[in-house]
Coordinates of all heavy atoms in Angstrom, one line a residue:
M1 N 106.5 100.2 103.6 CA 107.0 99.0 104.2 C 108.2 99.2 105.0 O 108.3 98.7 106.1 CB 107.3 98.0 103.0 CG 107.8 96.7 103.5 SD 106.4 95.6 104.0 CE 105.8 95.0 102.5
T2 N 109.1 100.1 104.5 CA 110.3 100.3 105.3 C 110.0 101.1 106.6 O 110.6 100.8 107.6 CB 111.3 101.2 104.4 OG1 111.5 100.5 103.2 CG2 112.6 101.4 105.1
I3 N 109.1 102.0 106.5 CA 108.7 102.8 107.7 C 108.1 101.9 108.7 O 108.4 102.0 109.9 CB 107.7 103.9 107.3 CG1 108.5 105.0 106.4 CG2 107.1 104.6 108.5 CD1 107.6 106.0 105.8
C4 N 107.2 101.0 108.3 CA 106.7 100.0 109.2 C 107.7 99.1 109.9 O 107.7 98.8 111.1 CB 105.6 99.1 108.5 SG 104.1 100.0 108.1
A5 N 108.7 98.7 109.1 CA 109.8 97.9 109.7 C 110.6 98.7 110.7 O 111.0 98.2 111.8 CB 110.7 97.4 108.6
L6 N 110.9 100.0 110.4 CA 111.6 100.8 111.4 C 110.8 101.1 112.6 O 111.3 101.0 113.7 CB 112.0 102.1 110.7 CG 113.1 102.1 109.6 CD1 113.3 103.4 109.0 CD2 114.4 101.6 110.2
F7 N 109.5 101.3 112.5 CA 108.6 101.5 113.6 C 108.6 100.2 114.5 O 108.5 100.3 115.7 CB 107.3 101.9 113.2 CG 106.4 102.3 114.3 CD1 106.7 103.4 115.1 CD2 105.3 101.6 114.7 CE1 105.9 103.8 116.2 CE2 104.5 102.0 115.7 CZ 104.8 103.1 116.5
S8 N 108.6 99.0 113.8 CA 108.6 97.8 114.6 C 109.9 97.7 115.4 O 109.9 97.2 116.5 CB 108.5 96.6 113.6 OG 107.2 96.6 113.0
L9 N 111.0 98.1 114.8 CA 112.3 98.1 115.6 C 112.2 99.0 116.8 O 112.6 98.7 117.9 CB 113.4 98.5 114.7 CG 113.9 97.4 113.7 CD1 114.9 98.0 112.7 CD2 114.4 96.2 114.4
V10 N 111.6 100.2 116.6 CA 111.4 101.1 117.7 C 110.5 100.5 118.8 O 110.7 100.7 120.0 CB 110.9 102.5 117.2 CG1 110.5 103.4 118.3 CG2 111.9 103.2 116.3
L11 N 109.4 99.9 118.3 CA 108.5 99.2 119.3 C 109.2 98.1 120.1 O 109.0 97.9 121.3 CB 107.3 98.6 118.6 CG 106.2 99.6 118.2 CD1 105.1 98.9 117.4 CD2 105.6 100.4 119.3
A12 N 110.1 97.4 119.4 CA 110.9 96.3 120.1 C 111.8 97.0 121.1 O 111.9 96.4 122.2 CB 111.7 95.5 119.1
R13 N 112.4 98.1 120.8 CA 113.3 98.8 121.8 C 112.4 99.3 123.0 O 112.9 99.4 124.1 CB 114.0 99.9 121.1 CG 115.1 99.5 120.1 CD 116.2 98.8 120.7 NE 116.9 99.7 121.6 CZ 117.9 99.4 122.4 NH1 118.4 98.2 122.3 NH2 118.5 100.2 123.2
A14 N 111.2 99.7 122.6 CA 110.3 100.3 123.7 C 109.9 99.1 124.7 O 109.8 99.4 125.9 CB 109.0 100.9 123.1
V15 N 109.6 98.0 124.1 CA 109.3 96.8 125.0 C 110.5 96.5 125.9 O 110.3 96.0 127.0 CB 108.8 95.6 124.1 CG1 108.7 94.4 124.9 CG2 107.5 96.0 123.4
A16 N 111.7 96.6 125.3 CA 112.9 96.3 126.1 C 113.2 97.4 127.2 O 114.0 97.1 128.0 CB 114.1 96.3 125.1
G17 N 112.5 98.5 127.1 CA 112.6 99.5 128.2 C 113.3 100.7 127.9 O 113.6 101.5 128.8
S18 N 113.6 101.0 126.6 CA 114.4 102.2 126.2 C 113.4 103.4 126.3 O 112.4 103.4 125.6 CB 115.0 102.0 124.8 OG 115.7 103.1 124.4
Y19 N 113.8 104.4 127.0 CA 112.9 105.5 127.2 C 112.7 106.3 125.9 O 111.6 106.8 125.7 CB 113.4 106.5 128.3 CG 113.4 105.8 129.7 CD1 114.5 105.6 130.4 CD2 112.2 105.5 130.2 CE1 114.5 105.0 131.7 CE2 112.1 104.9 131.5 CZ 113.2 104.7 132.2 OH 113.2 104.1 133.4
W20 N 113.7 106.5 125.1 CA 113.5 107.3 123.9 C 112.5 106.5 122.9 O 111.7 107.1 122.2 CB 114.8 107.5 123.2 CG 115.5 106.3 122.6 CD1 116.4 105.5 123.3 CD2 115.3 105.7 121.4 NE1 116.8 104.5 122.5 CE2 116.1 104.5 121.3 CE3 114.5 106.0 120.3 CZ2 116.2 103.7 120.2 CZ3 114.5 105.1 119.2 CH2 115.4 104.0 119.1
A21 N 112.6 105.2 122.9 CA 111.7 104.4 122.1 C 110.3 104.4 122.6 O 109.3 104.5 121.8 CB 112.2 103.0 122.0
I22 N 110.1 104.4 123.9 CA 108.8 104.6 124.5 C 108.2 105.9 124.1 O 107.0 106.0 123.7 CB 108.8 104.4 126.0 CG1 109.2 102.9 126.4 CG2 107.5 104.7 126.6 CD1 109.5 102.7 127.8
A23 N 108.9 107.0 124.3 CA 108.5 108.3 123.9 C 108.1 108.4 122.5 O 107.1 109.0 122.1 CB 109.5 109.4 124.3
L24 N 109.0 107.9 121.6 CA 108.7 108.0 120.2 C 107.5 107.2 119.8 O 106.6 107.6 119.0 CB 109.9 107.5 119.4 CG 109.9 107.6 117.9 CD1 109.7 109.1 117.5 CD2 111.1 107.0 117.2
S25 N 107.3 106.0 120.4 CA 106.1 105.2 120.1 C 104.9 105.8 120.6 O 103.9 105.8 119.8 CB 106.3 103.8 120.8 OG 107.4 103.1 120.4
V26 N 104.9 106.4 121.7 CA 103.7 107.1 122.2 C 103.4 108.3 121.3 O 102.2 108.6 121.0 CB 103.9 107.6 123.7 CG1 102.8 108.6 124.1 CG2 103.9 106.4 124.6
A27 N 104.4 109.1 120.9 CA 104.2 110.2 120.0 C 103.5 109.8 118.7 O 102.6 110.4 118.2 CB 105.5 111.0 119.8
V28 N 104.1 108.7 118.1 CA 103.6 108.3 116.7 C 102.2 107.7 116.9 O 101.3 108.0 116.1 CB 104.6 107.2 116.1 CG1 103.9 106.6 114.9 CG2 105.9 107.9 115.7
L29 N 102.0 106.9 117.9 CA 100.6 106.3 118.1 C 99.6 107.4 118.5 O 98.4 107.3 118.1 CB 100.7 105.3 119.2 CG 101.5 104.0 118.8 CD1 101.5 103.0 120.0 CD2 100.8 103.3 117.6
S30 N 100.0 108.5 119.1 CA 99.1 109.6 119.4 C 98.7 110.3 118.2 O 97.5 110.6 118.0 CB 99.7 110.6 120.4 OG 100.0 110.0 121.6
I31 N 99.7 110.5 117.3 CA 99.4 111.2 116.0 C 98.4 110.3 115.2 O 97.4 110.8 114.6 CB 100.7 111.5 115.2 CG1 101.4 112.6 116.0 CG2 100.4 111.9 113.8 CD1 102.8 112.8 115.4
V32 N 98.7 109.0 115.1 CA 97.8 108.1 114.4 C 96.4 108.1 115.0 O 95.4 108.2 114.2 CB 98.4 106.7 114.3 CG1 97.4 105.7 113.8 CG2 99.6 106.7 113.5
F33 N 96.3 108.1 116.3 CA 95.0 108.2 117.0 C 94.2 109.4 116.7 O 93.0 109.4 116.4 CB 95.2 108.0 118.5 CG 93.9 108.1 119.2 CD1 93.0 107.0 119.2 CD2 93.5 109.2 120.0 CE1 91.8 107.1 119.9 CE2 92.3 109.3 120.7 CZ 91.5 108.2 120.6
V34 N 94.9 110.6 116.7 CA 94.2 111.9 116.4 C 93.8 111.9 115.0 O 92.7 112.4 114.7 CB 95.2 113.0 116.7 CG1 94.7 114.3 116.1 CG2 95.4 113.2 118.2
L35 N 94.6 111.4 114.0 CA 94.1 111.4 112.6 C 92.9 110.5 112.4 O 92.0 110.8 111.7 CB 95.3 110.9 111.7 CG 96.4 111.9 111.6 CD1 97.6 111.3 110.8 CD2 95.9 113.2 110.9
L36 N 92.9 109.3 113.2 CA 91.7 108.4 113.0 C 90.5 109.1 113.6 O 89.4 109.0 113.1 CB 92.0 107.1 113.8 CG 92.9 106.2 113.0 CD1 93.2 104.9 113.9 CD2 92.3 105.7 111.7
V37 N 90.6 109.8 114.7 CA 89.4 110.5 115.3 C 88.9 111.6 114.3 O 87.7 111.7 114.1 CB 89.8 111.2 116.7 CG1 88.8 112.1 117.1 CG2 90.0 110.1 117.7
H38 N 89.8 112.3 113.7 CA 89.4 113.3 112.7 C 88.7 112.7 111.5 O 87.7 113.2 111.0 CB 90.6 114.2 112.3 CG 91.1 115.2 113.2 ND1 90.6 116.5 113.2 CD2 91.9 115.2 114.3 CE1 91.1 117.2 114.2 NE2 91.9 116.4 114.9
A39 N 89.3 111.6 111.1 CA 88.6 110.9 109.9 C 87.2 110.4 110.3 O 86.3 110.5 109.5 CB 89.5 109.8 109.4
C40 N 87.1 109.8 111.4 CA 85.8 109.3 111.9 C 84.8 110.5 112.0 O 83.6 110.4 111.6 CB 85.9 108.5 113.2 SG 86.7 107.0 113.0
T41 N 85.2 111.6 112.6 CA 84.4 112.7 112.8 C 84.0 113.3 111.4 O 82.8 113.6 111.2 CB 85.1 113.8 113.6 OG1 85.5 113.3 114.8 CG2 84.2 115.0 113.8
Y42 N 84.9 113.3 110.4 CA 84.6 113.8 109.1 C 83.5 112.9 108.5 O 82.5 113.4 107.9 CB 85.8 113.8 108.2 CG 85.6 114.2 106.8 CD1 85.4 115.5 106.5 CD2 85.5 113.2 105.8 CE1 85.2 115.9 105.1 CE2 85.3 113.6 104.5 CZ 85.1 114.9 104.2 OH 84.9 115.2 102.9
V43 N 83.6 111.6 108.6 CA 82.7 110.7 108.0 C 81.3 110.8 108.6 O 80.3 110.9 107.9 CB 83.2 109.2 108.1 CG1 82.1 108.2 107.7 CG2 84.4 109.0 107.2
I44 N 81.3 111.0 109.9 CA 80.0 111.1 110.6 C 79.3 112.4 110.2 O 78.1 112.5 109.9 CB 80.2 111.1 112.2 CG1 80.6 109.7 112.6 CG2 79.0 111.6 112.9 CD1 81.0 109.5 114.0
V45 N 80.1 113.5 110.1 CA 79.5 114.8 109.8 C 79.0 114.8 108.3 O 77.9 115.3 108.0 CB 80.5 116.0 110.0 CG1 80.0 117.3 109.4 CG2 80.7 116.2 111.5
M46 N 79.8 114.2 107.4 CA 79.3 114.1 106.0 C 78.1 113.3 105.9 O 77.2 113.6 105.1 CB 80.5 113.5 105.2 CG 81.6 114.5 105.0 SD 81.2 116.0 104.3 CE 80.7 115.6 102.7
A47 N 78.0 112.2 106.6 CA 76.8 111.3 106.6 C 75.6 112.1 107.1 O 74.5 112.0 106.5 CB 77.0 110.0 107.3
L48 N 75.8 112.8 108.2 CA 74.6 113.5 108.8 C 74.2 114.7 107.8 O 73.0 115.0 107.7 CB 75.0 114.1 110.1 CG 75.0 113.1 111.3 CD1 75.5 113.7 112.6 CD2 73.7 112.5 111.5
S49 N 75.2 115.3 107.2 CA 74.8 116.4 106.3 C 74.1 115.9 105.1 O 73.2 116.6 104.5 CB 76.1 117.2 105.9 OG 76.9 116.4 105.0
K50 N 74.4 114.7 104.6 CA 73.6 114.1 103.5 C 72.2 113.8 103.9 O 71.3 114.0 103.1 CB 74.3 112.8 103.0 CG 75.7 113.0 102.4 CD 75.6 113.5 101.0 CE 77.0 113.5 100.4 NZ 77.0 114.1 99.1
V51 N 72.0 113.4 105.1 CA 70.7 113.0 105.6 C 69.8 114.2 106.0 O 68.6 114.3 105.6 CB 70.8 112.1 106.8 CG1 69.4 111.8 107.5 CG2 71.4 110.8 106.4
L52 N 70.4 115.2 106.6 CA 69.7 116.3 107.2 C 69.6 117.6 106.3 O 68.7 118.4 106.6 CB 70.3 116.7 108.5 CG 70.3 115.6 109.6 CD1 71.0 116.1 110.8 CD2 68.9 115.1 109.9
R53 N 70.3 117.7 105.3 CA 70.3 119.0 104.5 C 69.1 119.0 103.6 O 68.6 118.0 103.1 CB 71.6 119.2 103.8 CG 71.7 118.3 102.6 CD 72.9 118.6 101.8 NE 73.0 117.6 100.7 CZ 73.7 117.8 99.6 NH1 74.3 118.9 99.4 NH2 73.8 116.9 98.7
K54 N 68.7 120.3 103.3 CA 67.7 120.5 102.3 C 68.4 120.7 100.9 O 69.4 121.4 100.8 CB 66.9 121.7 102.6 CG 66.0 121.6 103.8 CD 65.0 122.7 104.0 CE 65.7 124.1 103.9 NZ 64.8 125.2 104.1
E55 N 67.8 120.2 99.9 CA 68.3 120.4 98.5 C 68.0 121.8 98.1 O 66.8 122.2 98.0 CB 67.8 119.4 97.6 CG 68.3 119.5 96.2 CD 69.8 119.0 96.1 OE1 70.2 118.2 97.0 OE2 70.5 119.4 95.2
Q56 N 69.0 122.6 97.8 CA 68.8 124.0 97.3 C 69.3 124.1 95.8 O 70.5 123.9 95.6 CB 69.5 125.0 98.1 CG 68.8 125.2 99.5 CD 69.5 126.4 100.2 OE1 70.5 126.9 99.9 NE2 68.8 126.8 101.3
L57 N 68.4 124.3 94.9 CA 68.8 124.4 93.5 C 69.2 125.8 93.3 O 68.5 126.8 93.7 CB 67.7 123.9 92.6 CG 67.3 122.5 92.7 CD1 66.1 122.2 91.9 CD2 68.4 121.6 92.4
P58 N 70.3 126.1 92.6 CA 70.7 127.5 92.3 C 69.8 128.1 91.3 O 69.2 127.4 90.5 CB 72.1 127.3 91.8 CG 72.2 125.9 91.3 CD 71.3 125.1 92.1
S59 N 69.6 129.4 91.3 CA 68.8 130.1 90.3 C 69.7 131.0 89.5 O 70.7 131.4 90.0 CB 67.7 130.9 91.0 OG 68.3 131.8 91.9
R60 N 69.3 131.2 88.3 CA 70.1 132.1 87.4 C 69.6 133.5 87.4 O 68.4 133.7 87.5 CB 70.0 131.5 86.0 CG 70.7 130.2 85.9 CD 71.3 130.0 84.5 NE 72.0 128.7 84.5 CZ 73.4 128.7 84.6 NH1 74.1 129.8 84.7 NH2 74.0 127.5 84.5
T61 N 70.5 134.4 87.3 CA 70.1 135.8 87.2 C 70.0 136.2 85.7 O 70.4 135.5 84.9 CB 71.2 136.7 87.9 OG1 72.4 136.5 87.2 CG2 71.4 136.3 89.3
P62 N 69.4 137.3 85.4 CA 69.2 137.7 84.0 C 70.6 138.0 83.4 O 70.7 137.8 82.2 CB 68.5 139.1 84.1 CG 67.7 139.0 85.4 CD 68.6 138.2 86.3
Q63 N 71.6 138.2 84.2 CA 72.9 138.5 83.6 C 73.7 137.1 83.3 O 74.8 137.1 82.9 CB 73.8 139.3 84.5 CG 73.3 140.8 84.6 CD 72.2 140.9 85.7 OE1 71.9 140.0 86.5 NE2 71.4 142.0 85.6
G64 N 73.1 136.0 83.7 CA 73.7 134.7 83.5 C 74.4 134.2 84.7 O 75.0 133.1 84.6
G65 N 74.4 134.9 85.8 CA 75.1 134.4 87.0 C 74.2 133.4 87.7 O 73.1 133.2 87.4
I66 N 74.8 132.8 88.8 CA 74.1 131.9 89.6 C 74.1 132.4 91.0 O 75.1 132.8 91.5 CB 74.8 130.5 89.5 CG1 74.7 129.9 88.1 CG2 74.1 129.5 90.5 CD1 75.5 128.6 87.9
Q67 N 72.9 132.3 91.6 CA 72.8 132.6 93.0 C 72.2 131.5 93.8 O 71.3 130.8 93.3 CB 72.0 133.9 93.2 CG 70.6 133.8 92.8 CD 69.9 135.2 92.9 OE1 70.5 136.2 92.8 NE2 68.6 135.1 93.1
A68 N 72.5 131.3 95.1 CA 72.1 130.2 95.9 C 70.6 130.4 96.3 O 69.8 129.5 96.4 CB 73.0 130.0 97.1
N69 N 70.3 131.7 96.7 CA 68.9 131.9 97.2 C 68.1 132.8 96.2 O 68.5 133.9 95.9 CB 69.0 132.7 98.5 CG 69.7 131.9 99.6 OD1 69.5 130.7 99.7 ND2 70.4 132.6 100.4
P70 N 67.1 132.2 95.6 CA 66.3 132.9 94.6 C 65.6 134.2 95.2 O 65.2 134.2 96.4 CB 65.3 131.9 94.1 CG 65.2 130.9 95.1 CD 66.5 130.9 95.8
D71 N 65.5 135.2 94.4 CA 64.9 136.4 94.8 C 63.8 136.7 93.9 O 63.9 136.4 92.7 CB 66.0 137.5 94.8 CG 65.5 138.8 95.5 OD1 64.5 138.8 96.3 OD2 66.1 139.8 95.3
D72 N 62.7 137.4 94.3 CA 61.5 137.6 93.4 C 61.9 138.4 92.2 O 61.3 138.3 91.2 CB 60.4 138.3 94.2 CG 59.7 137.4 95.1 OD1 59.8 136.2 94.9 OD2 59.0 137.9 96.0
R73 N 62.8 139.4 92.3 CA 63.1 140.2 91.2 C 63.7 139.5 90.0 O 63.8 140.0 88.9 CB 64.0 141.4 91.6 CG 65.3 141.0 92.1 CD 66.1 142.1 92.6 NE 67.2 141.6 93.4 CZ 68.2 142.3 93.9 NH1 68.2 143.6 93.7 NH2 69.1 141.8 94.6
Y74 N 64.3 138.3 90.3 CA 64.9 137.5 89.2 C 63.9 136.5 88.6 O 64.3 135.8 87.6 CB 66.2 136.9 89.6 CG 67.2 137.9 90.0 CD1 67.9 137.8 91.2 CD2 67.7 138.8 89.1 CE1 68.8 138.7 91.6 CE2 68.6 139.7 89.4 CZ 69.2 139.7 90.6 OH 70.2 140.6 91.0
L75 N 62.8 136.3 89.2 CA 61.8 135.3 88.7 C 61.0 135.9 87.6 O 60.7 137.1 87.5 CB 60.9 134.9 89.8 CG 61.6 134.1 91.0 CD1 60.6 133.9 92.1 CD2 62.2 132.8 90.5
P76 N 60.5 135.1 86.6 CA 59.7 135.6 85.6 C 58.4 136.2 86.2 O 57.9 135.7 87.3 CB 59.4 134.4 84.7 CG 60.4 133.4 85.1 CD 60.9 133.7 86.5
E77 N 57.7 137.1 85.5 CA 56.5 137.7 86.0 C 55.4 136.8 86.3 O 54.6 137.0 87.2 CB 56.1 138.8 85.0 CG 57.0 140.1 85.0 CD 57.1 140.7 86.4 OE1 56.1 140.8 87.1 OE2 58.2 141.1 86.7
S78 N 55.3 135.7 85.5 CA 54.2 134.8 85.6 C 54.3 134.0 86.9 O 53.2 133.6 87.5 CB 54.1 133.8 84.4 OG 55.3 133.1 84.4
T79 N 55.5 133.7 87.4 CA 55.6 132.9 88.6 C 55.9 133.8 89.8 O 55.9 133.3 91.0 CB 56.8 131.9 88.5 OG1 58.0 132.6 88.2 CG2 56.4 130.9 87.4
A80 N 56.2 135.1 89.6 CA 56.5 136.0 90.8 C 55.2 136.3 91.6 O 54.1 136.3 91.0 CB 57.1 137.3 90.3
S81 N 55.4 136.5 92.8 CA 54.3 136.8 93.7 C 53.8 138.2 93.4 O 54.6 139.1 93.0 CB 54.6 136.7 95.2 OG 55.7 137.6 95.5
P82 N 52.5 138.4 93.4 CA 52.0 139.8 93.1 C 52.5 140.8 94.1 O 52.5 140.5 95.3 CB 50.4 139.6 93.2 CG 50.2 138.3 93.9 CD 51.4 137.5 93.8
R83 N 52.8 141.9 93.6 CA 53.3 143.0 94.5 C 52.3 144.2 94.6 O 51.7 144.5 93.6 CB 54.6 143.5 94.0 CG 55.7 142.5 94.0 CD 57.0 143.2 93.5 NE 58.1 142.1 93.5 CZ 59.1 142.1 92.7 NH1 59.2 143.1 91.8 NH2 60.0 141.2 92.8
S84 N 52.2 144.7 95.7 CA 51.3 145.8 95.8 C 52.1 147.1 95.6 O 53.2 147.2 96.2 CB 50.6 145.8 97.2 OG 51.5 145.9 98.2
S85 N 51.6 148.0 94.9 CA 52.3 149.3 94.6 C 52.0 150.4 95.5 O 50.9 150.6 96.0 CB 52.0 149.8 93.2 OG 52.2 148.8 92.3

């Protein structure tokens, strides 16, 4: 609340024509604008990633670890693809 009140005073001085207040107002508003652009971009990318991504379930290794991409050597023999020797 106090920061908003101080910024309002700076804006009032900027309207009155004080160059330091104009520069400070432009700087603060530019920072706010950049943060809003970043937030909007983040929301858009997150929404698109939820819509476009494939669900990948992790698979467990015999040692109890988790891997993102399953490999035939860790699958049980009944579900593994037949291998030619």
Side-chain angles (χ1 to χ4, degrees):
M1 181 79 82
T2 304
I3 293 172
C4 289
L6 289 174
F7 187 66
S8 295
L9 288 174
V10 171
L11 284 176
R13 294 292 298 179
V15 171
S18 181
Y19 291 119
W20 67 268
I22 293 171
L24 186 63
S25 299
V26 168
V28 169
L29 292 175
S30 296
I31 291 171
V32 169
F33 178 74
V34 167
L35 290 174
L36 285 175
V37 168
H38 281 271
C40 290
T41 304
Y42 176 78
V43 168
I44 290 169
V45 168
M46 289 303 295
L48 286 175
S49 71
K50 295 278 186 189
V51 172
L52 300 177
R53 74 176 175 156
K54 293 190 311 185
E55 184 70 27
Q56 289 186 347
L57 298 175
S59 60
R60 295 211 174 259
T61 63
Q63 293 82 16
I66 297 176
Q67 63 183 26
N69 298 324
D71 192 15
D72 284 343
R73 63 184 163 173
Y74 294 125
L75 295 174
E77 289 301 320
S78 61
T79 60
S81 59
R83 295 183 180 152
S84 59
S85 307

